[in-house]
Amino acid sequence: MAHTRQGVDLIGDVHGCAKSLELLLQKLGYSKQSGVYRHPTRKVIFLGDIVDRGPRIREALHLVYDMVSRGNAEIVMGNHEYNVLCYLTPGEQGSDMEWLRERTPRHFRILKETLEQLANHPQDQKDFLDWFMTMPIYLEHEHFRVVHACWQQDLIDQFRTLYGGNCFSERLLHRSAVNGSFEWTLMDRLLRGTHLRLPNGEQMISKDGFKRSFFRTKFWARNPQKYIDVVFQPDPLPEHVARLPLTRSNLEDLSFYGEKEPLLFIGHYWREGNPQPITSNIACLDYSAVKYGKLVAYRLDDETEIRPDKFVWVDVKREVNE
Ligand SMILES: [Mn+2]
């Protein structure tokens, strides 16, 4: 009997953990044929963030690119692919931007490993950047949706009207570099998610040592009242902030994805612990692989609710990746 829908294995943020990715693919029943991973009946959808931080970024890019170009996988762009493109693209003539992403020490630190590992492979760097430039920024299939960080329907509708598709482009790259433009809002929301500024000019130091004025927020909280109702990141809010009420302007900056919407798969959020559904229709598959967490997949078939028993993962071990 032919299946009406092909089974899909969604895979979270890889961040250069190519060996763990191979182990996960093997665990899912994929095998290498003519140098490319494939499965007799299924395909992979990557949730973006193949690059940065990890030990085998170039290998991970080759593996994923080969699968995508042979039709064995699809991918959506992550904020890290987007950052790399912006960091390496000069501003247009006459603009006041030297580069689309300012070359600060902080920005450099995030993509240092990617630049280093591609430095002696200029052809790879060119090919991969060309690929990033055409990646979908979201995918909408018959019974599920995929985006790196946050699905926001009005932005997606407007984007489709303006750009006639779901893919990134050079035009979108340049326009999204202008702070406050529609394109800036779109890329920020879809690839980085919703966030709120800490009140009263406060800052917090995250576990990875960055000073932050913003914190990441949920887009599935129904009628949230306080900061603690919406925070969604590994670092907890300071206690005195967590209990503060959300202001009207805070609420306007948030987004909401209801339980009646189609299944949605996201990466991005540095989850910890054992993979499980966020809600009955949302699964986050980023479990901090590159911080020796888990590289996580979800085996999607015909179900209409996220099932806890369909998460599959490998524990990322130090000896595997170094
Ligand atoms: Mn990520």
Side-chain angles (χ1 to χ4, degrees):
M1 278 267 286
H3 289 278
T4 50
R5 287 171 177 159
Q6 185 179 22
V8 168
D9 299 309
L10 298 116
I11 295 182
D13 304 31
V14 175
H15 286 304
C17 296
K19 282 203 174 173
S20 297
L21 176 56
E22 291 198 73
L23 292 176
L24 180 62
L25 288 168
Q26 288 159 14
K27 196 166 181 176
L28 293 167
Y30 290 73
S31 59
K32 230 176 182 175
Q33 288 166 36
S34 311
V36 184
Y37 276 95
R38 55 167 297 157
H39 189 284
T41 58
R42 304 180 65 86
K43 74 173 172 184
V44 168
I45 297 182
F46 290 98
L47 302 186
D49 280 8
I50 306 304
V51 299
D52 289 350
R53 296 181 191 258
R56 293 189 172 82
I57 294 162
R58 188 172 150 259
E59 291 84 338
L61 285 168
H62 274 291
L63 191 163
V64 173
Y65 177 81
D66 289 348
M67 287 185 76
V68 171
S69 63
R70 303 285 178 86
N72 301 322
E74 296 181 59
I75 187 169
V76 293
M77 180 183 276
N79 59 313
H80 284 257
E81 281 80 40
Y82 176 62
N83 286 346
V84 169
L85 275 177
C86 291
Y87 193 91
L88 296 176
T89 306
E92 279 166 332
Q93 261 193 337
S95 87
D96 55 2
M97 280 180 286
E98 192 178 354
W99 303 94
L100 297 189
R101 187 165 167 85
E102 212 188 331
R103 295 201 162 180
T104 62
R106 175 181 176 140
H107 289 168
F108 175 70
R109 189 176 137 193
I110 294 170
L111 48 59
K112 176 173 168 284
E113 286 81 9
T114 300
L115 299 184
E116 282 173 2
Q117 293 172 38
L118 290 173
N120 294 324
H121 304 275
Q123 190 60 45
D124 278 354
Q125 178 169 319
K126 187 187 172 303
D127 292 347
F128 291 137
L129 288 175
D130 288 348
W131 176 40
F132 296 172
M133 194 70 91
T134 63
M135 277 182 180
I137 57 172
Y138 67 90
L139 290 170
E140 187 159 27
H141 284 269
E142 193 189 336
H143 68 309
F144 67 98
R145 296 166 170 172
V146 182
V147 71
H148 183 65
C150 174
W151 189 277
Q152 190 170 316
Q153 194 65 54
D154 59 335
L155 292 175
I156 288 172
D157 289 343
Q158 193 176 344
F159 170 65
R160 210 166 10 207
T161 304
L162 288 170
Y163 284 77
N166 63 340
C167 288
F168 199 69
S169 62
E170 199 140 349
R171 178 171 153 228
L172 178 54
L173 174 67
H174 283 276
R175 292 196 176 175
S176 65
V178 179
N179 205 313
S181 65
F182 162 73
E183 289 82 357
W184 184 90
T185 307
L186 171 85
M187 294 306 290
D188 188 58
R189 182 55 56 98
L190 268 55
L191 273 62
R192 298 192 183 110
T194 55
H195 28 252
L196 289 179
R197 188 184 277 281
L198 287 160
N200 312 318
E202 292 200 42
Q203 290 192 321
M204 53 187 287
I205 310 286
S206 60
K207 271 188 232 162
D208 49 12
F210 287 108
K211 236 187 217 173
R212 299 194 185 273
S213 312
F214 288 87
F215 65 94
R216 290 180 173 180
T217 52
K218 298 173 186 178
F219 57 91
W220 50 88
R222 191 179 281 282
N223 301 321
Q225 308 289 322
K226 298 175 180 165
Y227 279 84
I228 198 171
D229 298 335
V230 294
V231 62
F232 189 64
Q233 60 178 27
D235 296 304
L237 291 177
E239 186 61 24
H240 66 282
V241 171
R243 301 288 159 197
L244 288 176
L246 291 162
T247 64
R248 182 178 299 229
S249 132
N250 291 152
L251 293 169
E252 281 166 8
D253 288 339
L254 298 175
S255 180
F256 181 67
Y257 194 84
E259 298 230 338
K260 298 264 189 290
E261 299 288 327
L263 298 186
L264 175 64
F265 295 91
I266 54 176
H268 190 61
Y269 291 94
W270 298 113
R271 304 282 284 153
E272 292 167 351
N274 277 333
Q276 52 186 304
I278 289 179
T279 64
S280 61
N281 63 337
I282 304 177
C284 172
L285 304 181
D286 176 24
Y287 279 77
S288 307
V290 74
K291 296 178 183 172
Y292 306 110
K294 295 171 168 57
L295 185 63
V296 177
Y298 183 91
R299 307 216 84 170
L300 178 65
D301 297 294
D302 275 343
E303 67 268 37
T304 52
E305 290 204 344
I306 303 289
R307 284 176 34 187
D309 60 326
K310 300 196 78 179
F311 291 83
V312 177
W313 63 85
V314 294
D315 288 296
V316 180
K317 297 276 194 291
R318 220 160 268 268
E319 61 271 18
V320 168
N321 270 317
E322 282 168 5

PDB file of all heavy atoms in Angstrom, residues 264-276:
ATOM      1  N   LEU A 264       3.613  22.262  14.785  1.00  0.00           N
ATOM      2  CA  LEU A 264       4.704  23.189  14.488  1.00  0.00           C
ATOM      3  C   LEU A 264       6.003  22.684  15.098  1.00  0.00           C
ATOM      4  O   LEU A 264       6.036  22.299  16.270  1.00  0.00           O
ATOM      5  CB  LEU A 264       4.387  24.580  15.068  1.00  0.00           C
ATOM      6  CG  LEU A 264       5.506  25.623  14.942  1.00  0.00           C
ATOM      7  CD1 LEU A 264       5.797  25.955  13.470  1.00  0.00           C
ATOM      8  CD2 LEU A 264       5.145  26.898  15.717  1.00  0.00           C
ATOM      9  N   PHE A 265       7.070  22.680  14.291  1.00  0.00           N
ATOM     10  CA  PHE A 265       8.388  22.243  14.761  1.00  0.00           C
ATOM     11  C   PHE A 265       9.363  23.410  14.714  1.00  0.00           C
ATOM     12  O   PHE A 265       9.475  24.095  13.693  1.00  0.00           O
ATOM     13  CB  PHE A 265       8.892  21.079  13.903  1.00  0.00           C
ATOM     14  CG  PHE A 265       8.026  19.867  14.058  1.00  0.00           C
ATOM     15  CD1 PHE A 265       6.940  19.661  13.213  1.00  0.00           C
ATOM     16  CD2 PHE A 265       8.255  18.966  15.083  1.00  0.00           C
ATOM     17  CE1 PHE A 265       6.107  18.568  13.378  1.00  0.00           C
ATOM     18  CE2 PHE A 265       7.424  17.863  15.259  1.00  0.00           C
ATOM     19  CZ  PHE A 265       6.349  17.664  14.402  1.00  0.00           C
ATOM     20  N   ILE A 266      10.045  23.626  15.850  1.00  0.00           N
ATOM     21  CA  ILE A 266      11.024  24.713  15.969  1.00  0.00           C
ATOM     22  C   ILE A 266      12.328  24.182  16.576  1.00  0.00           C
ATOM     23  O   ILE A 266      12.341  23.098  17.184  1.00  0.00           O
ATOM     24  CB  ILE A 266      10.478  25.870  16.853  1.00  0.00           C
ATOM     25  CG1 ILE A 266      10.023  25.339  18.220  1.00  0.00           C
ATOM     26  CG2 ILE A 266       9.339  26.593  16.163  1.00  0.00           C
ATOM     27  CD1 ILE A 266       9.564  26.419  19.192  1.00  0.00           C
ATOM     28  N   GLY A 267      13.401  24.956  16.401  1.00  0.00           N
ATOM     29  CA  GLY A 267      14.679  24.646  17.060  1.00  0.00           C
ATOM     30  C   GLY A 267      14.997  25.784  18.012  1.00  0.00           C
ATOM     31  O   GLY A 267      14.136  26.220  18.766  1.00  0.00           O
ATOM     32  N   HIS A 268      16.238  26.260  18.018  1.00  0.00           N
ATOM     33  CA  HIS A 268      16.638  27.580  18.536  1.00  0.00           C
ATOM     34  C   HIS A 268      16.804  27.777  20.037  1.00  0.00           C
ATOM     35  O   HIS A 268      17.606  28.586  20.450  1.00  0.00           O
ATOM     36  CB  HIS A 268      15.633  28.633  18.046  1.00  0.00           C
ATOM     37  CG  HIS A 268      16.047  30.044  18.311  1.00  0.00           C
ATOM     38  ND1 HIS A 268      17.197  30.587  17.778  1.00  0.00           N
ATOM     39  CD2 HIS A 268      15.489  31.038  19.066  1.00  0.00           C
ATOM     40  CE1 HIS A 268      17.297  31.858  18.179  1.00  0.00           C
ATOM     41  NE2 HIS A 268      16.289  32.151  18.961  1.00  0.00           N
ATOM     42  N   TYR A 269      16.082  27.056  20.915  1.00  0.00           N
ATOM     43  CA  TYR A 269      15.910  27.560  22.278  1.00  0.00           C
ATOM     44  C   TYR A 269      16.816  26.935  23.351  1.00  0.00           C
ATOM     45  O   TYR A 269      16.580  27.142  24.530  1.00  0.00           O
ATOM     46  CB  TYR A 269      14.438  27.435  22.700  1.00  0.00           C
ATOM     47  CG  TYR A 269      13.546  28.391  21.932  1.00  0.00           C
ATOM     48  CD1 TYR A 269      12.884  27.990  20.774  1.00  0.00           C
ATOM     49  CD2 TYR A 269      13.399  29.714  22.338  1.00  0.00           C
ATOM     50  CE1 TYR A 269      12.089  28.872  20.062  1.00  0.00           C
ATOM     51  CE2 TYR A 269      12.604  30.602  21.629  1.00  0.00           C
ATOM     52  CZ  TYR A 269      11.946  30.176  20.493  1.00  0.00           C
ATOM     53  OH  TYR A 269      11.165  31.055  19.782  1.00  0.00           O
ATOM     54  N   TRP A 270      17.842  26.159  22.967  1.00  0.00           N
ATOM     55  CA  TRP A 270      18.788  25.618  23.965  1.00  0.00           C
ATOM     56  C   TRP A 270      18.078  24.888  25.103  1.00  0.00           C
ATOM     57  O   TRP A 270      18.351  25.125  26.274  1.00  0.00           O
ATOM     58  CB  TRP A 270      19.657  26.726  24.585  1.00  0.00           C
ATOM     59  CG  TRP A 270      20.539  27.467  23.648  1.00  0.00           C
ATOM     60  CD1 TRP A 270      20.431  28.782  23.299  1.00  0.00           C
ATOM     61  CD2 TRP A 270      21.705  26.983  22.940  1.00  0.00           C
ATOM     62  NE1 TRP A 270      21.434  29.132  22.428  1.00  0.00           N
ATOM     63  CE2 TRP A 270      22.219  28.054  22.198  1.00  0.00           C
ATOM     64  CE3 TRP A 270      22.349  25.727  22.874  1.00  0.00           C
ATOM     65  CZ2 TRP A 270      23.348  27.936  21.381  1.00  0.00           C
ATOM     66  CZ3 TRP A 270      23.463  25.611  22.056  1.00  0.00           C
ATOM     67  CH2 TRP A 270      23.945  26.704  21.330  1.00  0.00           C
ATOM     68  N   ARG A 271      17.163  23.989  24.732  1.00  0.00           N
ATOM     69  CA  ARG A 271      16.472  23.226  25.773  1.00  0.00           C
ATOM     70  C   ARG A 271      17.453  22.292  26.473  1.00  0.00           C
ATOM     71  O   ARG A 271      18.497  21.940  25.920  1.00  0.00           O
ATOM     72  CB  ARG A 271      15.339  22.393  25.152  1.00  0.00           C
ATOM     73  CG  ARG A 271      14.333  23.209  24.361  1.00  0.00           C
ATOM     74  CD  ARG A 271      13.352  23.925  25.227  1.00  0.00           C
ATOM     75  NE  ARG A 271      12.357  22.991  25.749  1.00  0.00           N
ATOM     76  CZ  ARG A 271      11.714  23.174  26.895  1.00  0.00           C
ATOM     77  NH1 ARG A 271      11.978  24.202  27.649  1.00  0.00           N
ATOM     78  NH2 ARG A 271      10.793  22.305  27.275  1.00  0.00           N
ATOM     79  N   GLU A 272      17.077  21.863  27.671  1.00  0.00           N
ATOM     80  CA  GLU A 272      17.889  20.907  28.433  1.00  0.00           C
ATOM     81  C   GLU A 272      16.976  19.783  28.909  1.00  0.00           C
ATOM     82  O   GLU A 272      15.762  19.919  28.891  1.00  0.00           O
ATOM     83  CB  GLU A 272      18.533  21.609  29.639  1.00  0.00           C
ATOM     84  CG  GLU A 272      19.585  22.645  29.224  1.00  0.00           C
ATOM     85  CD  GLU A 272      20.004  23.571  30.364  1.00  0.00           C
ATOM     86  OE1 GLU A 272      19.370  23.537  31.442  1.00  0.00           O
ATOM     87  OE2 GLU A 272      20.970  24.327  30.157  1.00  0.00           O
ATOM     88  N   GLY A 273      17.584  18.674  29.352  1.00  0.00           N
ATOM     89  CA  GLY A 273      16.794  17.574  29.911  1.00  0.00           C
ATOM     90  C   GLY A 273      16.275  16.645  28.831  1.00  0.00           C
ATOM     91  O   GLY A 273      16.849  16.559  27.749  1.00  0.00           O
ATOM     92  N   ASN A 274      15.181  15.935  29.152  1.00  0.00           N
ATOM     93  CA  ASN A 274      14.647  14.945  28.221  1.00  0.00           C
ATOM     94  C   ASN A 274      13.643  15.559  27.267  1.00  0.00           C
ATOM     95  O   ASN A 274      12.724  16.256  27.689  1.00  0.00           O
ATOM     96  CB  ASN A 274      13.993  13.806  28.989  1.00  0.00           C
ATOM     97  CG  ASN A 274      15.020  12.783  29.430  1.00  0.00           C
ATOM     98  OD1 ASN A 274      16.068  12.618  28.792  1.00  0.00           O
ATOM     99  ND2 ASN A 274      14.741  12.119  30.531  1.00  0.00           N
ATOM    100  N   PRO A 275      13.821  15.298  25.962  1.00  0.00           N
ATOM    101  CA  PRO A 275      12.914  15.872  24.962  1.00  0.00           C
ATOM    102  C   PRO A 275      11.454  15.496  25.200  1.00  0.00           C
ATOM    103  O   PRO A 275      11.141  14.338  25.478  1.00  0.00           O
ATOM    104  CB  PRO A 275      13.430  15.265  23.651  1.00  0.00           C
ATOM    105  CG  PRO A 275      14.879  15.015  23.917  1.00  0.00           C
ATOM    106  CD  PRO A 275      14.944  14.591  25.361  1.00  0.00           C
ATOM    107  N   GLN A 276      10.590  16.473  25.109  1.00  0.00           N
ATOM    108  CA  GLN A 276       9.152  16.257  25.281  1.00  0.00           C
ATOM    109  C   GLN A 276       8.404  17.392  24.589  1.00  0.00           C
ATOM    110  O   GLN A 276       8.985  18.434  24.302  1.00  0.00           O
ATOM    111  CB  GLN A 276       8.813  16.207  26.761  1.00  0.00           C
ATOM    112  CG  GLN A 276       9.357  17.400  27.534  1.00  0.00           C
ATOM    113  CD  GLN A 276       9.141  17.246  29.030  1.00  0.00           C
ATOM    114  OE1 GLN A 276       8.021  17.057  29.455  1.00  0.00           O
ATOM    115  NE2 GLN A 276      10.214  17.328  29.789  1.00  0.00           N
TER     116      GLN A 276
END
